Amino acid sequence: MVQIITGAEMAEAAKAARKRKPGRPPKAAAGMAAVNDMPPTDELVTMYRDMLLIRRFEEKAGQLYGMGQIGGFCHLYIGQEAVVVGLQSVSKPGDTVVTSYRDHGHMLACGMEADGVMAELTGREGGYSRGKGGSMHMFSREKNFFGGHGIVGAQVPIGCGLAFSHKYREEANVCMTYLGDGAVNQGQVYESFNMAALWDLPCLFVIENNQYGMGTAVTRAAAGRSLADRGAAYGIPGKQVDGMDVLAVRTAGAEALAHCRAGKGPFILEMKTYRYRGHSMSDPAKYRTREEVDAMRKQHDPIDQLRDVLMKQDMTEAALKTIDSDVKAIVTNATEFAQTSPEPDPSELYTDILKPLTGGATSVEV
Amino acid sequence: MAVEIKMPALSPTMEEGSLTKWLVDEGADVRSGDVIAEIETDKATMEVEALDDGRIGRILVAAGSENVKVNTTIAMLLEEGESADDLATDLANDMVVATSAAVSEVPEAPESPESPESAASPVAGASGTAAVEAATTGAELEKPVAEPVASGNTAPLTVREALRDAMAEEMRGDDRVFVMGEEVAEYQGAYKVTQGLLAEFGPKRVIDTPITEQGFAGLGVGAAFGDLRPVVEFMTFNFAMQAIDQIINSAAKTLYMSGGQMGCPIVFRGPNGAASRVAAQHSQCYASWYAHCPGLKVVSPWSAADAKGLLKAAIRDPNPVIFLENEVMYGQSFEVPDDDDWVVPIGRANIVREGSDVTITAFSIMVGRALEAADKLAEQGISAEVIDLRTIRPLDIDTIVNSVKKTSRLVTCEEGFPFAGVGSEIAMQVMEQAFDWLDAPIARVTGKDVPMPYAANLEKLALPQIEDIVATVVASCEGFRGD
């Protein structure tokens, strides 16, 4: 039984939140994990490690971008780690994941190798897409990660299609379809909500509300009370969750996934989260104050919060330090790999445009 | 070891910027993510964050410095256990190296110690001659399989029935195949193409969708990623414009963007082109739109036999296929081989009439008009060879070029607009491959370059008619005949 934040702290945080419009941090009270849901220590450690890996990976990606080794667009996930790590911790084998372009964290959480992700960022042969997709377009069939999509909202009907394929094959799996607070205003999201509800598709819509769609605060772009309500007209249940608290995410995720798995149709989780960095690397982030970012970091950082939990469970500094060094080593190795993996061969320009007809029973050979 | 903090690039195009302000002093402890400095480019002011925990050992570029090149070391960060004194030695050593380098390379000495990686990406060299060679055909180099040999027995079938039979046969053979679209199930198809499928396969595999083209096209793409074989019907291809982002960005490009991992085995089918008196928003040919994009196959049959055989091939194809039908053709009957498994390979044109004076290419409904034109031309002593393209992409250019080498004249026919149309592409490729064989300029017969009008007389004027084909062919032959 561990209490993460005291009542006084919560009250203070809530007060601070009211002052910090429009970039409000999540309601501290809303997402606190029920204490009886506390997972065993080894699972907490895994989540800590997974979040730390994303954090360190993204910091390194930012650094490599600054050095000109990563090109194009690069959207970092720093600050939002609890969302994907918490949900993956309660997923089942065979569940599928699809998201938009802020996707590095999702790939790592799905178990994709840091080497291959980083090498894709540097546009090398060793990347998951052999250097042909880049930051926004990576996939792993093996890890059930279906992208990595560059068009805001386009991944939502695709996620419904993956959920459709689970239902069609009568598998007890769910597609976790991630979208941002920017995407929730796209028409195709509602086309998707409608079909998902109509056909009871096992689709968990995870709205990562990081408060800003590029430079526009969610309050300036989205009408209505909460994004969790956006499925109300279709009868899709929705819930707001403190997306900075990995335990709250885990609890809510388990409940929502159980709903989808039971054949009750889709579910919406609005994860109130926050990205510390700009929308992409070239975003000066002048639409919010430094104080707002600092307050989120200091009071709600997902990694610090879980660290506190672990310390209260008699985890030693030394043990945490070991995790830290292990994670650092993975990122260092990934960087080394991404810098030394060769550029794709020029002949790769013309591969993978169309699949060859592979003969087999159904193909015509005369 | 101390970590170098470098002047970051904030965008792919940034080469230098000003270091306007330091927010920390030497000796300050920083945590990863703390803002330590502000930099400015002509576009924006940005904050520089520490990328690691540590102590600022030395600031190397003073606040107020302008034109600081990207990747210049601006400060040194000490890790745990290091002191600024260690740094002094390191830096001194670096200075010696830097100085000697500068001496030996005086003419090119950079103003600031730049990392060699900061130069433009070396990728640029990739566009060599080898790459250019395959520019137009690229992935289409793979030769389609040979024409099927029919048993000889045929039965008359409308195009509508042929399409329905193709879907039904493929659904019987592969339980991953399902059909979805507006009114395809209970209503039996807006144009009755899916008639009877619901009764045989049930609502799990014959699915009425809401009127949400972008949504169900995207859902189909996701289902194809999930290893099903969707056949998505658009009530007409005019409405597929609502879904074109999913067709191009999601279906066509994902195989490439995933380095070959993904693939999207899906068929988008429905009537394309002008129907009758439905005006501009419901009368347009999309063949050249979809054929423009690598990653799609585009099929547009004329006869019922090809409609059946090509739709079966499309459903079995591991790639996204755009299958363009024609409403006016649905009720027309053709002899269709009654073989158990009649499949026509994608990527092969068909010479539907042999001739020696001129080659006419056409697809879909224009094939019938081209054949009628050929009859009229024969009365005038002109022998026209008519090629039914059947597949727009991959285009069977070999069949066209071989024909042109025989006839030395080419007229292309299509219902679509002339600008950047299918005919434009054929003309270009024939010029590239058979320029020396041409005795006359290649001519096009197309829809007029106007939105489709409603009035009966204007609509007729806007659409390519048999007389237009005859006149264009005659003009192509006149004055160029050797006699």
Side-chain angles (χ1 to χ4, degrees), chain A residues 73-206:
Chain A
F73 295 130
C74 185
H75 310 87
L76 302 181
Y77 198 61
I78 298 176
Q80 300 180 215
E81 297 92 342
V83 176
V84 74
V85 169
L87 285 170
Q88 278 304 119
S89 77
V90 284
S91 71
K92 290 226 161 81
D95 287 347
T96 46
V97 174
V98 66
T99 187
S100 68
Y101 45 75
R102 196 179 303 284
D103 55 358
H104 312 161
H106 300 71
M107 294 187 272
L108 295 172
C110 285
M112 290 166 68
E113 299 292 335
D115 287 17
V117 180
M118 196 70 96
E120 189 60 38
L121 298 183
T122 54
R124 303 303 177 95
E125 189 185 277
Y128 266 98
S129 298
R130 302 217 303 278
K132 290 154 81 167
S135 166
M136 302 185 286
H137 317 108
M138 270 183 258
F139 310 81
S140 169
R141 277 197 172 277
E142 188 202 342
K143 303 290 182 191
N144 286 317
F145 180 74
F146 286 85
H149 294 269
I151 307 296
V152 174
Q155 78 279 15
V156 181
I158 291 172
C160 287
L162 288 161
F164 178 92
S165 68
H166 290 314
K167 187 179 163 89
Y168 191 92
R169 278 193 294 266
E170 296 169 16
E171 300 161 346
N173 282 114
V174 179
C175 178
M176 285 177 270
T177 303
Y178 290 81
L179 59 155
D181 53 276
V184 293
N185 301 312
Q186 280 275 16
Q188 60 184 323
V189 170
Y190 299 93
E191 299 188 16
S192 302
F193 283 178
N194 184 43
M195 288 184 289
L198 205 57
W199 301 332
D200 288 332
L201 300 182
C203 193
L204 173 55
F205 298 104
V206 184

Side-chain angles (χ1 to χ4, degrees), chain A residues 9-22:
Chain A
E9 279 168 338
M10 277 197 282
E12 197 184 319
K15 203 168 136 193
R18 280 194 292 278
K19 283 186 195 159
R20 268 195 301 271
K21 283 182 182 174

Side-chain angles (χ1 to χ4, degrees), chain B residues 303-376:
Chain B
S303 75
D306 286 342
K308 182 177 181 189
L310 281 164
L311 184 53
K312 283 165 69 78
I315 294 170
R316 294 176 190 189
D317 201 285
N319 299 288
V321 180
I322 304 292
F323 198 91
L324 303 170
E325 301 159 9
N326 187 292
E327 187 194 326
V328 180
M329 295 295 301
Y330 280 147
Q332 293 194 22
S333 285
F334 294 81
E335 288 298 318
V336 177
D338 64 3
D339 300 47
D340 282 346
D341 198 14
W342 172 249
V343 181
V344 176
I346 292 173
R348 290 181 72 94
N350 186 26
I351 298 170
V352 287
R353 177 188 175 116
E354 293 200 3
S356 54
D357 295 333
V358 60
T359 300
I360 302 174
T361 66
F363 59 94
S364 190
I365 193 170
M366 291 304 293
V367 175
R369 292 187 195 150
L371 285 171
E372 286 191 54
D375 285 343
K376 296 201 160 144

Side-chain angles (χ1 to χ4, degrees), chain A residues 59 63 66-67 129-130 139 141 154 161 168-169 188 191 277 282 284 290 297 343 349-351 355 362 364, chain B residues 9-10 32-33 35 46-47 49 51 131 175 204 215 219 225-226 246 256-257 259 261-262 316 319 343:
Chain A
E59 285 168 352
Q63 196 180 354
M67 291 160 70
S129 298
R130 302 217 303 278
F139 310 81
R141 277 197 172 277
Y168 191 92
R169 278 193 294 266
Q188 60 184 323
E191 299 188 16
R277 298 296 182 90
S282 45
R290 173 43 63 176
R297 274 193 151 133
E343 290 189 319
L349 187 61
Y350 286 111
T351 59
K355 273 199 173 177
T362 54
V364 175
Chain B
L10 305 176
S32 172
V35 178
M46 300 272 291
E47 291 162 339
E49 296 177 351
L51 298 164
D175 59 15
K204 181 186 171 182
L219 192 150
F225 288 165
Q246 289 289 357
Y256 194 82
M257 295 194 303
Q261 272 193 72
M262 295 288 291
R316 294 176 190 189
N319 299 288
V343 181

Side-chain angles (χ1 to χ4, degrees), chain B residues 94-109:
Chain B
D94 285 354
M95 295 283 263
V96 173
V97 176
T99 313
S100 60
V103 170
S104 60
E105 293 176 87
V106 174
E108 281 99 12

Side-chain angles (χ1 to χ4, degrees), chain B residues 117-308:
Chain B
E117 270 89 30
S118 68
S121 156
V123 185
S127 58
T129 44
V132 176
E133 220 166 83
T136 49
T137 41
E140 293 156 15
L141 294 174
E142 183 196 342
K143 276 284 147 208
V145 293
E147 195 70 15
V149 181
S151 64
N153 299 326
T154 63
L157 221 56
T158 62
V159 170
R160 173 182 286 117
E161 291 161 338
L163 292 167
R164 190 265 323 275
D165 288 356
M167 286 186 278
E169 287 176 22
E170 293 308 298
M171 290 175 82
R172 283 176 209 131
D174 183 348
D175 59 15
R176 297 172 302 175
V177 180
F178 69 96
V179 176
M180 73 188 308
E182 293 154 9
E183 311 289 6
V184 298
E186 308 245 340
Y187 193 90
Q188 307 294 322
Y191 296 104
K192 299 287 178 281
V193 175
T194 51
Q195 191 145 36
L197 294 184
L198 176 66
E200 180 173 354
F201 300 101
K204 181 186 171 182
R205 298 179 69 193
V206 185
I207 301 157
D208 279 327
T209 64
I211 306 170
T212 52
E213 282 82 6
Q214 191 178 18
F216 70 72
L219 192 150
V221 170
F225 288 165
D227 209 29
L228 299 182
R229 296 289 180 273
V231 178
V232 173
E233 175 177 309
F234 291 116
M235 194 181 289
T236 82
F237 261 92
N238 301 288
F239 314 144
M241 272 204 284
Q242 295 263 6
I244 203 163
D245 173 68
Q246 289 289 357
I247 298 172
I248 305 299
N249 273 320
S250 302
K253 295 180 183 171
T254 302
L255 180 68
Y256 194 82
M257 295 194 303
S258 65
Q261 272 193 72
M262 295 288 291
C264 188
I266 190 168
V267 177
F268 295 105
R269 52 154 290 270
N272 170 65
S276 179
R277 309 293 310 280
V278 288
Q281 290 179 338
H282 288 70
S283 312
Q284 188 169 334
C285 175
Y286 290 89
S288 79
W289 285 52
Y290 292 109
H292 181 68
C293 298
L296 292 176
K297 294 187 179 182
V298 183
V299 176
S300 191
W302 165 65
S303 75
D306 286 342
K308 182 177 181 189

